[in-house]
Amino acid sequence: MKYTQLGRTGLKVSRLVLGTMNFGPQTDEPTSHAILDAALGAGLNFVDTANVYGWGENKGRTEEIIGTWFAQGGGRRDKTVLATKVYGNMAGDGDPWPNHDRLSAQNIRRAVEASLKRLQTDYIDLYQFHHIDRRTPFEEIWQAVDVLVQQGKILYAGSSNFPGFKIAQANETAARRGSLGLVSEQCLYNLAERRAEMEVIPAAQEYGLGVIPWSPLHGGLLGGVIKKAGEGRRSASGRSAEALTDPAVRAQIQSYEDLLDKHGLDAGEAALAWLLSRPGITGPIVGPRTVEQLHSALRALEVELSAEVLAGLDEVFPGPGPSPEAFAW
């Protein structure tokens, strides 16, 4: 397993992040535990979740599944860098009590305690703000975070889905307080969605944040969806199927798959390997539903993309260009 440091921290994390969004809604508890065991056995030590995962009436279920895995012992918790998130309303659906969501000091305190209980642990390595909160000043957010750090309930704070200017605002506020501030940003970033290169990733690099891309296969669109459908292995569904109804998108994905076929590369593994090659990237989040999907993702760590392949990918999926030069008049 390949490791890197999480941003400007001393924390060593695996170059792939195990996402657990499917645990509960699509993957049952025994299979989820098998995936976690296989990941840990392969040296993958970075596990990402959120308090709302499980969704609907089952919000919190994903954290509970991870908690029952930790409870089996065997050093599982000590070997795991655990990340979870706060923001979404955890009150029952149709019963949206005020102060049960967002980033008020009250909700942060409540949410941490609830997550610790579900996760069956006494600390969270990386506590992430799932979205920006326009109603709560960062002074209040950092005051709450500083207390939790002093109590030993969290070690570091990170953001998710923050624009570049909010990363700057958050860390400038933290600096005035003498706080560490954000150490990571979890953002949408993949070959087909490169807008993070405009401001989010440059801001993260400027402030020493690790970048953790989510949806590395863009909802399956970059996983060889056309080829798999042609071979009868699996047809496109959901966002992938909808996107492929656009002739321009379908032509682009076909060009992508043709390029990788020419070089004997698996589409999904290549999409992950491309992210791993990008500057400032800590590691992409993979969300396997089965142990076999996990093994496929792990193979991406051994994939080396040639200069020819990288140039071809840039031709199929051109990025916005270097920042800030690409945005000058």
Side-chain angles (χ1 to χ4, degrees):
M1 177 58 65
K2 299 178 181 179
Y3 297 91
T4 188
Q5 287 190 203
L6 179 62
R8 55 202 163 92
T9 76
L11 198 62
K12 293 290 184 69
V13 295
S14 49
R15 291 300 316 274
L16 286 181
V17 184
L18 180 63
T20 60
M21 186 182 293
N22 292 318
F23 292 3
Q26 297 188 48
T27 304
D28 62 23
E29 185 167 323
T31 305
S32 299
H33 286 182
I35 292 170
L36 286 160
D37 281 331
L40 200 61
L44 195 160
N45 72 336
F46 199 178
V47 175
D48 176 76
T49 191
N51 60 351
V52 294
Y53 289 174
W55 310 110
E57 296 179 353
N58 294 311
K59 285 181 286 192
R61 177 60 183 146
T62 304
E63 286 187 332
E64 291 175 350
I65 289 173
I66 296 170
T68 55
W69 180 69
F70 284 149
Q72 295 177 32
R76 286 172 170 81
R77 178 64 187 97
D78 290 340
K79 296 174 183 176
T80 300
V81 176
L82 174 64
T84 192
K85 307 183 194 75
V86 57
Y87 182 89
N89 197 305
M90 292 298 289
D93 286 353
D95 189 25
W97 280 86
N99 303 315
H100 278 67
D101 63 357
R102 300 182 181 268
L103 302 178
S104 69
Q106 185 186 63
N107 189 53
I108 288 175
R109 177 180 177 181
R110 173 189 292 116
V112 164
E113 296 295 345
S115 285
L116 290 172
K117 183 176 180 180
R118 287 189 292 267
L119 291 162
Q120 299 194 46
T121 185
D122 56 2
Y123 74 100
I124 294 162
D125 296 279
L126 178 63
Y127 200 53
Q128 302 163 108
F129 312 133
H130 213 154
H131 296 280
I132 61 170
D133 183 354
R134 295 180 177 86
R135 303 177 187 176
T136 306
F138 277 114
E139 288 82 0
E140 177 180 344
I141 294 170
W142 288 126
Q143 181 183 49
V145 167
D146 288 345
V147 170
L148 293 174
V149 171
Q150 291 164 6
Q151 293 174 337
K153 293 179 180 179
I154 69 172
L155 302 185
Y156 304 101
S159 57
S160 180
N161 304 305
F162 271 35
F165 81 96
K166 282 293 182 182
I167 291 173
Q169 185 181 8
N171 271 21
E172 291 298 331
T173 304
R176 289 195 296 271
R177 293 178 48 83
S179 303
L180 181 60
L182 300 172
V183 303
S184 64
E185 159 61 17
Q186 189 176 129
C187 61
L188 174 62
Y189 184 42
N190 55 55
L191 273 164
E193 176 49 81
R194 296 179 61 172
R195 284 178 292 177
E197 294 175 7
M198 297 174 68
E199 294 185 6
V200 174
I201 293 175
Q205 290 179 297
E206 186 71 21
Y207 284 96
L209 277 64
V211 177
I212 307 167
W214 59 268
S215 194
L217 302 188
H218 206 55
L221 201 61
L222 300 173
V225 63
I226 296 176
K227 182 178 181 179
K228 289 176 181 177
E231 295 174 349
R233 286 190 285 162
R234 190 171 74 181
S235 60
S237 61
R239 189 168 69 183
S240 294
E242 183 178 351
L244 289 175
T245 61
D246 183 329
V249 172
R250 188 176 188 89
Q252 186 180 41
I253 298 301
Q254 186 66 68
S255 296
Y256 163 71
E257 294 187 13
D258 289 345
L259 170 68
L260 298 178
D261 275 344
K262 175 184 173 182
H263 292 273
L265 294 167
D266 176 84
E269 293 170 20
L272 290 172
W274 179 83
L275 281 169
L276 290 165
S277 76
R278 302 300 295 170
I281 300 302
T282 299
I285 299 173
V286 296
R289 293 186 298 275
T290 65
V291 173
E292 291 73 23
Q293 289 179 355
L294 172 66
H295 290 319
S296 175
L298 289 169
R299 288 195 292 271
L301 292 168
E302 308 306 321
V303 174
E304 295 288 341
L305 301 178
S306 68
E308 182 182 357
V309 171
L310 290 171
L313 291 172
D314 276 337
E315 186 175 338
V316 175
F317 299 107
S323 176
E325 292 81 1
F327 313 107
W329 287 96

